[in-house]
Every structure is written in structure tokens, then in C-alpha cells.
Amino acid sequence: MVSFDQQLAARIRALVAKEAGLSERRMFGGLAFLIDGNMAVSASGGGGMLLRVPPKQTGDLAELPHAERFAMRGREMDGWLRVDLDGVRSDDALERWVAIGVAYARALPPKP
């Protein structure tokens, strides 16, 4: 199994560091950043980034360059995207993707 990208995790951490309710947890072979217990974004163990998105926007967001629906055990899941490393090379691109994940996680009820 590929280890998650430590540099990508550090870049994500820098963007979310001041978010209220932030925690980090190893999940899905990567390092996930959670807001009030809800995963927002993860430096993925499969490479690139795993991102929570509003389920109804999954299809439209998956059409953007470097993004695809996340599949678990062969099943594509609404509300989840994988963004490859080329899609987050620039700080602006990473910031845009992370903002989507953080906004969605913030819109969910906090988990105990």
C-alpha cells in the first residue's frame, strides 16, 4: 500500500489549521482532516486527495480536470471525490478543493 503524501498533508494542514473543531485521524490508508467529527479532506493513501463534497454536486465536480468519483470496493460513491496530485500542485487549486470539503463538512451535524 502506498503511504499518503506527507507534503500534501502538510499543505492541507496549513490551510485548515485555524478551523474550529479540527481533528486529524488516519482513515482509508491516509491522513484525514475532520471538522466537528466529519471528514472534510484527506491526503489519500491511494495517492492524491480524497474529498467530501455535496452528494448532488459529485457528478459536476467529477467532470473537472484531475477529479473523479471515489470508488470503494468497486462502487462509486456520491459525496466523495479523488483528486490526483496534478490537480493540487498549485496552492490556489489545493485551496479551492479544500474549501469545498471544509464547507461540506461544516454543513453536516457535528459527530459526538
Side-chain angles (χ1 to χ4, degrees):
M1 170 173 271
V2 176
S3 176
F4 66 89
D5 184 323
Q6 298 280 340
Q7 287 183 323
L8 178 57
R11 291 174 63 212
I12 294 169
R13 184 179 294 113
L15 291 172
V16 299
K18 294 183 180 177
E19 292 290 334
L22 178 70
S23 61
E24 295 181 19
R25 184 177 309 151
R26 288 192 178 249
M27 297 173 67
F28 305 117
L31 182 63
F33 297 86
L34 297 84
I35 306 292
D36 293 326
N38 293 295
M39 195 191 104
V41 60
S42 173
S44 175
M49 188 169 70
L50 182 60
L51 183 70
R52 289 287 301 272
V53 300
K56 292 182 180 183
Q57 293 179 15
T58 307
D60 290 339
L61 291 169
E63 292 179 14
L64 295 173
H66 308 291
E68 64 183 7
R69 288 176 179 265
F70 174 68
M72 184 176 287
R73 296 185 196 101
R75 184 175 151 247
E76 290 183 345
M77 300 171 56
D78 284 342
W80 297 85
L81 289 181
R82 178 178 300 287
V83 180
D84 67 33
L85 281 176
D86 286 337
V88 294
R89 290 223 187 271
S90 79
D91 291 340
D92 287 344
L94 179 64
E95 190 170 347
R96 282 192 301 273
W97 284 117
V98 168
I100 292 168
V102 168
Y104 183 62
R106 245 232 200 273
L108 297 171
K111 290 185 176 178

